[in-house]
């Protein structure tokens, strides 16, 4: 991407708003950049006194445009840029208005995390990914910082005891600490039977492989990696409960299965694709509707998973007696996906909008953008920016790989970075240390035309898998 302080970028602003150059990474590739203005006034007139540059547009010859909200952030990693360029070559699948890329973007398996891909008659399963429906839920309470105990460790202990998290025994149901290994609780099982079981029976009958593995014993469980549960304080010192998780093992099976199925269906055409992971299902093809049904079900599983965990968290904190008084929740509640496909209308056309690591941000819609451990989390309200297909970022975005973070940082670095948070401070979570992620404040600054900040939260307790 083009650094906002670069000479080329400044010239693009002062002279024409469109120019082309030769891509230094590939001298045969012609690239077009545009610096696109965003008005700080609500007026649509370009005579407004204050103007800033909201995003840049990158376009290769013969590809759809890529709209990037990455200004003020470190240069996009080469892997991610190459991945975006390859995706943009699918001009017969992606809408000609092009892709949108959020400020937290980084390389991902199959497709770039932080990308928004609009299609009309096809879906790319790898662009949705394997953690289908992964997202956030946040609940505001009527507690304040003055109600907090001096020692926050009992709160963390209560949450860790109530909600399965992590992974062991190679995910074997009877040995996995991250599953209900001693039996799924009755109220969790009831939600599965009432809201998920019938539809899943249809899915697994058509595709038996999806039915083999963890299922209801993963409902109400956290998982590993960047999934978390937190107690936070906002700018008013009001207590919030926040968590991040998705569709767990069954969502992974659905994603993996259909990614391979798309490749198999397109095996005669794979050589013509920019990347085999970009195999897609055309509307009307044998497996298009099957994938839509399975993906939609996984999104529902993920939403219910978060709701169940939030109920478990609230009950556990109440039972711990950590707070001196009873408290109410659901003063404000937000539950949003950030790995999903949805049918939406943009520019007066119905489209299939695939967001991988991106949050829907219709005008007035509430969303959640978390930072890393020890950084701020934001409750936001969407502005409905049409250029981004009404989308904002889903978090801070990784600055480096997990392996690189483990090489670069020590336990002492992590302890210092999370000094204000009651959380794990051992080598197993070094890859999640705050410095492994982009600065969330810069991510938020790059998307001021996408969302307004409603509340700014900071973690005081964090549970990781």
């Amino acid at each position: 991407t083009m650094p906002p302080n670069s000479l080329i970028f400044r010239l693009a602003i002062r002279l024409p708003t469109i120019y082309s150059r030769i891509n230094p990474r590939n001298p045969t590739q012609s690239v077009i950049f545009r610096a696109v203005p965003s008005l700080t006034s609500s007026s649509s007139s370009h005579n407004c006194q204050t103007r800033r540059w909201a995003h840049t547009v990158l376009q290769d010859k013969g590809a759809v445009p890529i709209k990037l909200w990455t200004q003020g952030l470190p240069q996009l990693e080469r892997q991610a840029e190459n991945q975006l360029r390859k995706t943009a070559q699918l001009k017969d699948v992606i809408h000609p208005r092009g892709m949108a890329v959020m400020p937290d973007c980084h390389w991902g398996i199959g497709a770039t995390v932080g990308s928004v891909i609009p299609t009309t008659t096809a879906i790319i399963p790898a662009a949705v990914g394997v953690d289908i429906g992964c997202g956030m839920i946040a609940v505001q309470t009527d507690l304040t910082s003055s109600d907090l105990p001096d020692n926050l460790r009992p709160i963390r202990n209560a949450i860790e005891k109530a909600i399965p998290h992590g992974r062991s025994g190679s995910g074997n149901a009877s040995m996995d600490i991250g599953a209900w290994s001693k039996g799924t609780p009755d109220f969790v099982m009831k939600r599965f039977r009432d809201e998920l079981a019938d539809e899943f029976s249809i899915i697994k009958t058509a595709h038996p492989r999806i039915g083999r593995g963890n299922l209801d014993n993963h409902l109400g469980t956290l998982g590993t990696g960047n999934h978390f549960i937190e107690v936070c304080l906002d700018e008013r010192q009001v207590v919030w409960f926040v968590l991040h998780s998705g569709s767990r093992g069954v969502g992974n099976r659905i994603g993996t299965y259909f990614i391979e199925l798309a490749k198999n269906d397109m095996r005669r055409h794979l050589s013509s694709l920019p990347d085999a992971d970009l195999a897609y299902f055309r509307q009307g093809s044998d497996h298009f509707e099957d994938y839509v049904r399975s993906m939609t079900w996984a999104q529902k599983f993920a939403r219910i998973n978060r709701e169940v965990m939030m109920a478990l968290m609230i009950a556990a904190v109440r039972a711990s007696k950590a707070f001196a008084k009873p408290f109410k929740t659901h003063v404000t509640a937000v539950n949003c996906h950030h790995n999903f496909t949805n049918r939406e209308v943009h520019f007066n056309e119905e489209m299939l909008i695939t967001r991988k690591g991106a949050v829907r941000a219709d005008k007035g819609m509430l969303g959640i953008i978390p930072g890393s451990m020890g950084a701020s989390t934001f409750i936001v309200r969407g502005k409905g920016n049409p250029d981004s297909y009404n989308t904002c970022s889903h978090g801070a975005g990784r600055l480096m790989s997990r392996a690189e973070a483990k090489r670069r940082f020590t336990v002492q670095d992590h302890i210092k970075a999370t000094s204000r948070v009651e959380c794990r401070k051992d080598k197993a979570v070094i890859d999640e240390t705050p410095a492994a992620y982009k600065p969330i404040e810069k991510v938020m600054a790059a998307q001021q035309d996408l969302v307004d900040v409603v509340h700014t939260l900071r973690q005081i307790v964090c549970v990781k898998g």
Side-chain angles (χ1 to χ4, degrees):
T1 57
M2 186 168 42
N5 59 350
S6 71
L7 176 60
I8 292 176
F9 186 83
R10 294 198 301 271
L11 287 173
I13 292 175
R14 293 176 184 174
L15 299 173
T17 58
I18 182 168
Y19 70 93
S20 65
R21 68 174 174 85
I22 298 299
N23 178 9
R25 293 177 181 171
N26 184 350
T28 65
Q29 193 171 44
S30 176
V31 183
I32 296 174
F33 283 109
R34 292 193 297 274
V36 181
S38 173
L39 305 180
T40 57
S41 164
S42 59
S43 167
S44 60
S45 168
H46 282 253
N47 294 324
C48 182
Q49 287 186 343
T50 306
R51 184 167 67 180
R52 65 184 178 79
W53 301 94
H55 65 273
T56 53
V57 180
L58 182 156
Q59 186 168 11
D60 292 336
K61 186 177 180 180
V64 300
I66 304 169
K67 296 170 280 189
L68 298 135
W69 276 261
T70 55
Q71 295 180 51
L73 290 157
Q75 184 170 359
L76 189 61
E77 59 189 316
R78 184 173 297 187
Q79 275 184 301
E81 183 178 329
N82 289 340
Q83 199 170 45
L84 289 169
R85 289 180 185 279
K86 288 179 179 179
T87 306
Q89 291 174 33
L90 294 178
K91 61 180 181 178
D92 61 333
V93 172
I94 299 175
H95 193 278
R97 285 188 179 269
M99 301 159 55
V101 179
M102 298 298 103
D104 58 339
C105 67
H106 60 88
W107 179 86
I109 298 172
T112 313
V113 177
S115 59
V116 186
I117 303 174
T119 57
T120 51
T121 60
I123 296 180
I124 307 166
V128 179
V130 296
D131 195 358
I132 301 170
C134 187
M136 299 282 300
I137 186 170
V139 170
Q140 180 184 332
T141 75
D142 62 353
L143 296 165
T144 67
S145 58
S146 62
D147 300 313
L148 289 170
D150 292 334
N151 182 8
L152 297 175
R153 186 61 180 266
I155 296 177
R156 178 184 153 201
N157 289 344
I159 296 168
E160 290 179 339
K161 184 177 179 180
I163 300 174
H165 57 285
R167 188 172 186 265
S168 63
S170 300
N172 182 288
S174 62
M175 298 183 288
D176 187 4
I177 60 171
W180 296 110
S181 55
K182 296 181 180 179
T184 306
D186 290 344
F187 93 94
V188 179
M189 198 66 214
K190 184 177 188 306
R191 289 209 66 177
F192 181 83
R193 286 196 304 265
D194 292 351
E195 301 175 61
L196 294 165
D198 290 348
E199 185 77 5
F200 188 72
S201 180
I202 296 170
I203 291 168
K204 73 176 183 179
T205 298
H207 303 279
R209 269 180 51 195
I210 293 174
R212 302 181 194 129
N214 291 311
L215 189 59
D216 57 87
N217 62 325
H218 267 185
L219 190 63
T221 69
L222 183 64
T224 61
N226 62 357
H227 293 169
F228 61 78
I229 304 169
E230 293 177 342
V231 180
C232 301
L233 292 175
D234 71 13
E235 73 286 349
R236 305 161 301 170
Q237 300 302 301
V238 171
V239 175
W240 290 69
F241 298 153
V242 180
L243 64 85
H244 170 216
S245 191
S247 52
R248 303 291 283 113
V250 66
N252 186 291
R253 289 200 304 279
I254 288 170
T256 301
Y257 175 81
F258 279 102
I259 288 169
E260 293 305 314
L261 198 58
K263 291 178 182 179
N264 186 58
D265 285 1
M266 291 192 72
R267 59 190 178 278
R268 287 178 296 178
H269 308 286
L270 281 180
S271 60
S272 63
L273 288 175
D275 190 301
D277 280 332
L278 296 174
Y280 53 84
F281 296 120
R282 282 276 189 193
Q283 193 164 351
S285 65
D286 291 344
H287 295 121
F288 179 90
E289 293 300 334
D290 285 0
Y291 177 65
V292 170
R293 164 174 258 168
S294 301
M295 175 191 61
T296 303
W297 181 89
Q299 291 174 193
K300 186 176 183 181
F301 183 102
R303 175 180 58 79
I304 295 172
N305 185 43
R306 292 191 290 272
E307 292 172 356
V308 168
M309 278 191 286
M310 183 58 73
L312 290 166
M313 178 184 183
I314 292 167
V317 173
R318 281 184 173 141
S320 73
K321 308 288 187 187
F323 293 102
K325 67 175 189 179
F327 61 88
K328 297 178 181 178
T329 59
H330 291 78
V331 179
T332 299
V334 188
N335 193 347
C336 57
H337 298 314
H338 52 231
N339 287 344
F340 66 109
T341 295
N342 200 48
R343 290 186 186 273
E344 301 172 17
V345 175
H346 296 274
F347 304 104
N348 297 316
E349 292 184 63
E350 185 176 271
M351 302 181 189
L352 290 160
I353 303 295
T354 296
R355 297 179 176 93
K356 181 168 184 175
V359 176
R360 187 170 179 176
D362 291 353
K363 187 174 179 61
M365 180 181 285
L366 291 178
I368 310 165
I369 304 177
S372 58
M373 295 174 73
S376 297
T377 288
F378 297 88
I379 307 298
V380 298
R381 182 177 289 113
K383 291 188 173 182
N385 187 317
D387 287 328
S388 72
Y389 305 99
N390 298 2
T391 306
C392 65
S393 79
H394 82 311
R398 293 199 71 89
L399 195 56
M400 64 191 71
S401 69
R402 295 185 180 279
E404 178 62 23
K406 289 178 179 178
R407 283 193 296 268
R408 188 176 299 189
F409 303 113
T410 65
V411 171
Q412 287 305 311
D413 293 329
H414 180 64
I415 290 172
K416 183 177 180 181
T418 59
S419 60
R420 298 173 63 191
V421 184
E422 171 56 52
C423 64
R424 288 178 59 185
K425 302 180 191 289
D426 57 80
K427 65 179 182 179
V429 292
I430 293 295
D431 55 346
E432 283 293 304
T433 200
Y437 286 82
K438 296 176 184 178
I440 188 64
E441 291 77 16
K442 291 186 177 181
V443 169
M444 297 305 297
Q447 57 183 329
Q448 292 178 48
D449 61 329
L450 305 183
V451 291
D452 287 319
V453 174
V454 180
H455 294 295
T456 302
L457 281 53
R458 67 175 179 87
Q459 304 99 330
I460 54 174
V461 177
C462 178
V463 172
K464 285 277 188 182

